[in-house]
Amino acid sequence: MPERKQPADTKRLDQLADLKALSHPVRLRLIYALKIDGPMTATQLGKIVDESPASVSYHMRQLAAHGFAMEATDAGGDRRERWWQAAEGGFTFARDDFADSPEAVEAVGAGRRAMIAHQWGRLREYDESSATWSEDWQRAAFASDDLLRLTPDETQLFEDELRNVIDKWRAKGKATAEVDGREPVMLLLHGFPTRP
């Protein structure tokens, strides 16, 4: 089987403590909020995730301790408030890295379930609020599923090709971030075997 291509700027999670730190639903929402809207305070983040500033501060300290977030020293604003930003890049993990103990296997399962719930929750949020977006965005949004007949090796090669396309568009978005009308677009790609 070919070696899986690691996406650019991606942290490989191979420590159980890191995976557990990230697997909390509130922490996932905090990370995505920071990736989309940049540095924020615990108070600002609390309004987005419907948590108290004290709860958000606790979660942000946990995320920072595991390298998923950091204090934003150049965010400006009131120096009495702590500003947070997401760490650069994304994160990934492989089930094989945690196969050595039942506790680790359960943590991987919990982590995957939390991430999938977050992803599909975001899709449901868009579906419920799609009428509030412009006609252009409503036409541009898409959903698709396909059934392909592939081997495990072909599936990994297919993912590599998709990642190359995603990396190209990520670079374009960074290079021209100030273009009018640009919004964060969440892309959900899952490839897995299935039976009818």
Side-chain angles (χ1 to χ4, degrees):
M1 193 169 288
E3 183 69 25
R4 188 173 297 274
K5 179 186 175 193
Q6 178 130 336
D9 297 334
T10 299
K11 176 181 177 173
R12 175 76 178 252
L13 305 184
D14 57 6
Q15 300 297 313
L16 185 57
D18 291 343
L19 183 59
K20 285 181 174 181
L22 188 61
S23 295
H24 194 286
V26 171
R27 293 179 192 161
L28 284 171
R29 291 188 65 211
L30 291 168
I31 289 296
Y32 281 100
L34 288 171
K35 284 182 178 290
I36 291 170
D37 292 324
M40 286 188 264
T41 65
T43 301
Q44 293 167 327
L45 286 164
K47 290 176 183 172
I48 293 171
V49 300
D50 197 26
E51 293 281 327
S52 71
S55 173
V56 169
S57 291
Y58 169 77
H59 288 301
M60 290 309 305
R61 287 191 305 274
Q62 294 302 307
L63 288 167
H66 293 276
F68 299 111
M70 63 189 77
E71 283 194 60
T73 56
D74 59 350
D78 189 339
R79 308 276 287 157
R80 293 173 291 172
E81 286 194 285
R82 197 179 218 178
W83 287 75
W84 296 98
Q85 69 185 37
E88 287 293 317
F91 46 85
T92 187
F93 60 92
R95 197 176 304 232
D96 295 350
D97 291 341
F98 299 98
D100 59 342
S101 80
E103 178 192 12
V105 170
E106 178 53 36
V108 168
R112 288 184 56 82
R113 287 188 296 276
M115 289 175 199
I116 289 169
H118 175 80
Q119 292 167 351
W120 295 122
R122 297 299 288 264
L123 180 58
R124 273 191 306 278
E125 286 172 15
Y126 171 74
D127 188 55
E128 292 167 1
S129 68
S130 62
T132 66
W133 289 89
S134 71
E135 293 278 331
D136 288 343
W137 274 113
Q138 289 181 52
R139 274 192 302 275
F142 64 92
S144 174
D145 65 44
D146 292 286
L147 290 172
L148 310 173
R149 288 193 174 272
L150 303 172
T151 66
D153 287 352
E154 289 169 337
T155 302
Q156 285 190 7
L157 291 170
F158 182 68
E159 180 195 11
D160 289 347
E161 289 181 32
L162 290 173
R163 290 225 173 265
N164 288 334
V165 171
I166 292 167
D167 287 345
K168 177 184 106 175
W169 283 96
R170 181 182 293 115
K172 180 178 177 64
K174 284 182 180 177
T176 58
E178 300 307 317
V179 171
D180 286 342
R182 181 156 284 149
E183 295 282 352
V185 172
M186 181 173 244
L187 179 64
L188 303 177
L189 296 173
H190 295 271
F192 52 91
T194 188
R195 291 187 174 84

